[in-house]
Amino acid sequence: MKNIYDLHDIWGLLFVFSIENVHDVAREEIITSKNVNDDEELGQLFDLLVRPEFLFHSPKEQVLLINTLSYFLESGDSFDRVFLNLDTYFDDDVNDRRRFMRVLLTSLIRYQTESQKSDR
């Protein structure tokens, strides 16, 4: 059976950055304090806000999220569909959406690896 990947799963993971998400001043301040076009600051933002959301998912769901992101990166997707439907607290527009997603993928793989090590 072939896996069917859905960008909506990635959108759901990034919903933590959405202005439609529950109002949380502390979270908003964290988001606006980071430059989303700087890999290091973007990684810090993912560590603070995406990591807990990602680790909430089952190991099977984590693999699906990683595989989905990998699939769309490998297929050359622009990720426009994700960002067009995601109004965020980011101070700046994401200049390179594929770079954003590559940083996200690297972070997710690291979180999964760290989680697996801590389960041993």
Side-chain angles (χ1 to χ4, degrees), residues 66-98:
I66 289 170
N67 289 347
T68 298
L69 196 47
S70 295
Y71 172 81
F72 283 101
L73 278 166
E74 289 171 11
S75 70
D77 197 283
S78 66
F79 298 99
D80 288 346
R81 290 175 290 165
V82 173
F83 287 93
L84 289 175
N85 296 315
L86 185 67
D87 292 326
T88 69
Y89 287 109
F90 299 151
D91 273 349
D92 299 311
D93 290 336
V94 175
N95 293 333
D96 184 340
R97 294 172 176 174
R98 291 184 49 77

Short mmCIF file of all heavy atoms in Angstrom, two decimals, residues 66-98:
data_model
loop_
_atom_site.label_atom_id
_atom_site.label_comp_id
_atom_site.label_asym_id
_atom_site.label_seq_id
_atom_site.Cartn_x
_atom_site.Cartn_y
_atom_site.Cartn_z
N ILE A 66 7.48 13.36 9.51
CA ILE A 66 8.82 13.46 8.91
C ILE A 66 8.79 13.00 7.46
O ILE A 66 9.33 13.67 6.58
CB ILE A 66 9.84 12.65 9.75
CG1 ILE A 66 10.09 13.37 11.08
CG2 ILE A 66 11.14 12.42 8.97
CD1 ILE A 66 10.88 12.55 12.09
N ASN A 67 8.13 11.88 7.21
CA ASN A 67 8.06 11.36 5.84
C ASN A 67 7.27 12.29 4.92
O ASN A 67 7.62 12.46 3.75
CB ASN A 67 7.47 9.96 5.82
CG ASN A 67 8.40 8.92 6.39
OD1 ASN A 67 9.59 9.17 6.58
ND2 ASN A 67 7.88 7.75 6.70
N THR A 68 6.22 12.90 5.45
CA THR A 68 5.42 13.83 4.65
C THR A 68 6.26 15.03 4.26
O THR A 68 6.29 15.43 3.08
CB THR A 68 4.17 14.28 5.45
OG1 THR A 68 3.36 13.13 5.72
CG2 THR A 68 3.38 15.33 4.69
N LEU A 69 6.95 15.60 5.22
CA LEU A 69 7.78 16.77 4.94
C LEU A 69 8.90 16.40 3.96
O LEU A 69 9.17 17.15 3.01
CB LEU A 69 8.35 17.31 6.25
CG LEU A 69 8.92 18.70 6.25
CD1 LEU A 69 8.03 19.71 5.57
CD2 LEU A 69 9.20 19.13 7.68
N SER A 70 9.53 15.27 4.17
CA SER A 70 10.58 14.80 3.25
C SER A 70 10.05 14.62 1.84
O SER A 70 10.68 15.03 0.86
CB SER A 70 11.16 13.47 3.74
OG SER A 70 11.82 13.62 4.95
N TYR A 71 8.88 14.01 1.73
CA TYR A 71 8.28 13.77 0.43
C TYR A 71 8.06 15.07 -0.34
O TYR A 71 8.44 15.19 -1.51
CB TYR A 71 6.94 13.02 0.60
CG TYR A 71 6.16 12.91 -0.68
CD1 TYR A 71 6.47 11.92 -1.62
CD2 TYR A 71 5.14 13.80 -0.96
CE1 TYR A 71 5.76 11.83 -2.81
CE2 TYR A 71 4.42 13.72 -2.15
CZ TYR A 71 4.74 12.74 -3.07
OH TYR A 71 4.05 12.65 -4.24
N PHE A 72 7.47 16.06 0.33
CA PHE A 72 7.18 17.32 -0.36
C PHE A 72 8.44 18.12 -0.65
O PHE A 72 8.52 18.81 -1.67
CB PHE A 72 6.14 18.14 0.41
CG PHE A 72 4.75 17.60 0.23
CD1 PHE A 72 4.15 16.83 1.20
CD2 PHE A 72 4.04 17.85 -0.95
CE1 PHE A 72 2.87 16.32 1.02
CE2 PHE A 72 2.76 17.33 -1.14
CZ PHE A 72 2.17 16.57 -0.15
N LEU A 73 9.44 18.02 0.19
CA LEU A 73 10.73 18.66 -0.11
C LEU A 73 11.38 18.00 -1.32
O LEU A 73 11.85 18.69 -2.23
CB LEU A 73 11.66 18.61 1.10
CG LEU A 73 11.44 19.69 2.15
CD1 LEU A 73 12.17 19.34 3.45
CD2 LEU A 73 11.88 21.05 1.63
N GLU A 74 11.39 16.67 -1.34
CA GLU A 74 12.01 15.95 -2.45
C GLU A 74 11.27 16.17 -3.76
O GLU A 74 11.89 16.16 -4.83
CB GLU A 74 12.09 14.46 -2.12
CG GLU A 74 13.10 14.14 -1.04
CD GLU A 74 13.04 12.70 -0.55
OE1 GLU A 74 12.35 11.86 -1.18
OE2 GLU A 74 13.68 12.42 0.48
N SER A 75 9.96 16.38 -3.68
CA SER A 75 9.18 16.57 -4.92
C SER A 75 9.25 18.01 -5.43
O SER A 75 8.68 18.32 -6.48
CB SER A 75 7.72 16.16 -4.69
OG SER A 75 7.06 17.07 -3.84
N GLY A 76 9.93 18.90 -4.69
CA GLY A 76 10.11 20.28 -5.13
C GLY A 76 8.95 21.20 -4.81
O GLY A 76 8.85 22.29 -5.38
N ASP A 77 8.08 20.79 -3.91
CA ASP A 77 6.92 21.61 -3.55
C ASP A 77 7.37 22.97 -3.03
O ASP A 77 8.39 23.08 -2.35
CB ASP A 77 6.08 20.89 -2.50
CG ASP A 77 4.69 21.46 -2.37
OD1 ASP A 77 4.55 22.53 -1.75
OD2 ASP A 77 3.75 20.84 -2.90
N SER A 78 6.58 24.00 -3.32
CA SER A 78 6.90 25.36 -2.87
C SER A 78 6.37 25.66 -1.47
O SER A 78 6.77 26.64 -0.85
CB SER A 78 6.29 26.37 -3.84
OG SER A 78 4.87 26.31 -3.77
N PHE A 79 5.45 24.82 -0.99
CA PHE A 79 4.80 24.99 0.31
C PHE A 79 3.92 26.23 0.37
O PHE A 79 3.52 26.66 1.45
CB PHE A 79 5.81 24.98 1.47
CG PHE A 79 6.54 23.66 1.56
CD1 PHE A 79 7.82 23.52 1.02
CD2 PHE A 79 5.95 22.56 2.15
CE1 PHE A 79 8.49 22.32 1.07
CE2 PHE A 79 6.62 21.34 2.21
CZ PHE A 79 7.88 21.22 1.68
N ASP A 80 3.59 26.77 -0.79
CA ASP A 80 2.70 27.93 -0.83
C ASP A 80 1.35 27.61 -0.19
O ASP A 80 0.79 28.44 0.52
CB ASP A 80 2.47 28.39 -2.27
CG ASP A 80 3.69 29.07 -2.86
OD1 ASP A 80 4.62 29.42 -2.10
OD2 ASP A 80 3.73 29.23 -4.10
N ARG A 81 0.85 26.40 -0.42
CA ARG A 81 -0.46 26.03 0.14
C ARG A 81 -0.46 26.05 1.66
O ARG A 81 -1.46 26.37 2.27
CB ARG A 81 -0.88 24.64 -0.36
CG ARG A 81 -1.22 24.63 -1.83
CD ARG A 81 -1.52 23.24 -2.31
NE ARG A 81 -0.25 22.50 -2.30
CZ ARG A 81 -0.13 21.19 -2.39
NH1 ARG A 81 -1.19 20.44 -2.47
NH2 ARG A 81 1.05 20.62 -2.40
N VAL A 82 0.66 25.71 2.26
CA VAL A 82 0.75 25.73 3.72
C VAL A 82 0.69 27.17 4.22
O VAL A 82 -0.08 27.50 5.13
CB VAL A 82 2.05 25.06 4.22
CG1 VAL A 82 2.22 25.24 5.72
CG2 VAL A 82 2.08 23.59 3.85
N PHE A 83 1.47 28.04 3.62
CA PHE A 83 1.59 29.41 4.11
C PHE A 83 0.41 30.29 3.71
O PHE A 83 0.10 31.25 4.41
CB PHE A 83 2.91 30.02 3.66
CG PHE A 83 4.08 29.47 4.42
CD1 PHE A 83 4.79 28.38 3.93
CD2 PHE A 83 4.46 30.00 5.63
CE1 PHE A 83 5.86 27.86 4.63
CE2 PHE A 83 5.53 29.49 6.35
CZ PHE A 83 6.23 28.41 5.84
N LEU A 84 -0.25 29.98 2.60
CA LEU A 84 -1.40 30.77 2.19
C LEU A 84 -2.56 30.64 3.18
O LEU A 84 -3.37 31.56 3.32
CB LEU A 84 -1.87 30.37 0.79
CG LEU A 84 -0.94 30.78 -0.35
CD1 LEU A 84 -1.44 30.23 -1.68
CD2 LEU A 84 -0.81 32.30 -0.42
N ASN A 85 -2.63 29.53 3.84
CA ASN A 85 -3.71 29.27 4.79
C ASN A 85 -3.26 29.37 6.24
O ASN A 85 -3.91 28.84 7.12
CB ASN A 85 -4.31 27.89 4.53
CG ASN A 85 -4.96 27.80 3.18
OD1 ASN A 85 -5.69 28.70 2.78
ND2 ASN A 85 -4.68 26.75 2.45
N LEU A 86 -2.14 30.03 6.47
CA LEU A 86 -1.59 30.13 7.82
C LEU A 86 -1.22 31.58 8.11
O LEU A 86 -0.18 32.05 7.68
CB LEU A 86 -0.36 29.22 7.95
CG LEU A 86 0.27 29.11 9.32
CD1 LEU A 86 -0.67 28.37 10.29
CD2 LEU A 86 1.59 28.35 9.24
N ASP A 87 -2.10 32.28 8.79
CA ASP A 87 -1.80 33.65 9.22
C ASP A 87 -1.04 33.55 10.54
O ASP A 87 -1.56 33.04 11.52
CB ASP A 87 -3.09 34.46 9.42
CG ASP A 87 -3.80 34.73 8.12
OD1 ASP A 87 -3.12 34.91 7.11
OD2 ASP A 87 -5.05 34.76 8.12
N THR A 88 0.19 34.05 10.53
CA THR A 88 1.07 33.86 11.68
C THR A 88 1.38 35.16 12.40
O THR A 88 1.09 36.24 11.92
CB THR A 88 2.41 33.23 11.23
OG1 THR A 88 3.11 34.20 10.47
CG2 THR A 88 2.20 31.96 10.44
N TYR A 89 2.01 34.99 13.54
CA TYR A 89 2.51 36.12 14.32
C TYR A 89 3.91 36.54 13.86
O TYR A 89 4.50 37.43 14.46
CB TYR A 89 2.59 35.76 15.81
CG TYR A 89 1.25 35.67 16.48
CD1 TYR A 89 0.72 34.45 16.87
CD2 TYR A 89 0.51 36.82 16.76
CE1 TYR A 89 -0.50 34.37 17.50
CE2 TYR A 89 -0.71 36.75 17.40
CZ TYR A 89 -1.21 35.52 17.76
OH TYR A 89 -2.43 35.45 18.39
N PHE A 90 4.46 35.91 12.83
CA PHE A 90 5.79 36.26 12.36
C PHE A 90 5.83 37.73 12.00
O PHE A 90 4.94 38.25 11.32
CB PHE A 90 6.20 35.45 11.14
CG PHE A 90 6.25 33.96 11.35
CD1 PHE A 90 6.01 33.10 10.29
CD2 PHE A 90 6.55 33.40 12.58
CE1 PHE A 90 6.07 31.73 10.45
CE2 PHE A 90 6.60 32.02 12.76
CZ PHE A 90 6.36 31.19 11.69
N ASP A 91 6.88 38.42 12.43
CA ASP A 91 7.05 39.84 12.08
C ASP A 91 7.37 40.02 10.60
O ASP A 91 7.01 41.02 10.00
CB ASP A 91 8.17 40.47 12.92
CG ASP A 91 7.66 41.00 14.24
OD1 ASP A 91 6.44 41.07 14.45
OD2 ASP A 91 8.50 41.34 15.09
N ASP A 92 8.06 39.04 10.02
CA ASP A 92 8.46 39.12 8.61
C ASP A 92 7.83 37.98 7.83
O ASP A 92 7.47 36.94 8.38
CB ASP A 92 9.98 39.00 8.48
CG ASP A 92 10.71 40.12 9.20
OD1 ASP A 92 10.33 41.30 8.98
OD2 ASP A 92 11.64 39.84 9.97
N ASP A 93 7.71 38.18 6.52
CA ASP A 93 7.30 37.08 5.65
C ASP A 93 8.44 36.06 5.61
O ASP A 93 9.62 36.43 5.71
CB ASP A 93 7.04 37.58 4.24
CG ASP A 93 5.78 38.43 4.15
OD1 ASP A 93 4.89 38.28 5.01
OD2 ASP A 93 5.70 39.26 3.22
N VAL A 94 8.09 34.81 5.41
CA VAL A 94 9.10 33.78 5.23
C VAL A 94 9.63 33.92 3.80
O VAL A 94 8.89 33.71 2.84
CB VAL A 94 8.51 32.37 5.48
CG1 VAL A 94 9.53 31.30 5.17
CG2 VAL A 94 7.99 32.25 6.91
N ASN A 95 10.90 34.32 3.68
CA ASN A 95 11.48 34.58 2.37
C ASN A 95 11.68 33.33 1.53
O ASN A 95 11.50 33.35 0.32
CB ASN A 95 12.82 35.30 2.50
CG ASN A 95 12.67 36.70 3.05
OD1 ASN A 95 11.64 37.34 2.90
ND2 ASN A 95 13.70 37.18 3.73
N ASP A 96 12.08 32.25 2.16
CA ASP A 96 12.36 31.00 1.46
C ASP A 96 11.61 29.89 2.19
O ASP A 96 12.08 29.36 3.19
CB ASP A 96 13.87 30.73 1.44
CG ASP A 96 14.25 29.51 0.64
OD1 ASP A 96 13.38 28.64 0.39
OD2 ASP A 96 15.43 29.40 0.27
N ARG A 97 10.46 29.55 1.68
CA ARG A 97 9.59 28.57 2.34
C ARG A 97 10.20 27.18 2.36
O ARG A 97 10.02 26.43 3.30
CB ARG A 97 8.22 28.57 1.68
CG ARG A 97 7.51 29.89 1.92
CD ARG A 97 6.25 30.01 1.13
NE ARG A 97 5.59 31.27 1.51
CZ ARG A 97 4.52 31.73 0.91
NH1 ARG A 97 3.97 31.07 -0.09
NH2 ARG A 97 3.98 32.87 1.31
N ARG A 98 10.93 26.83 1.33
CA ARG A 98 11.58 25.52 1.30
C ARG A 98 12.69 25.45 2.35
O ARG A 98 12.85 24.44 3.02
CB ARG A 98 12.12 25.21 -0.10
CG ARG A 98 10.97 24.98 -1.10
CD ARG A 98 11.47 24.57 -2.47
NE ARG A 98 12.44 23.51 -2.46
CZ ARG A 98 12.17 22.21 -2.28
NH1 ARG A 98 10.93 21.81 -2.11
NH2 ARG A 98 13.13 21.32 -2.30
#
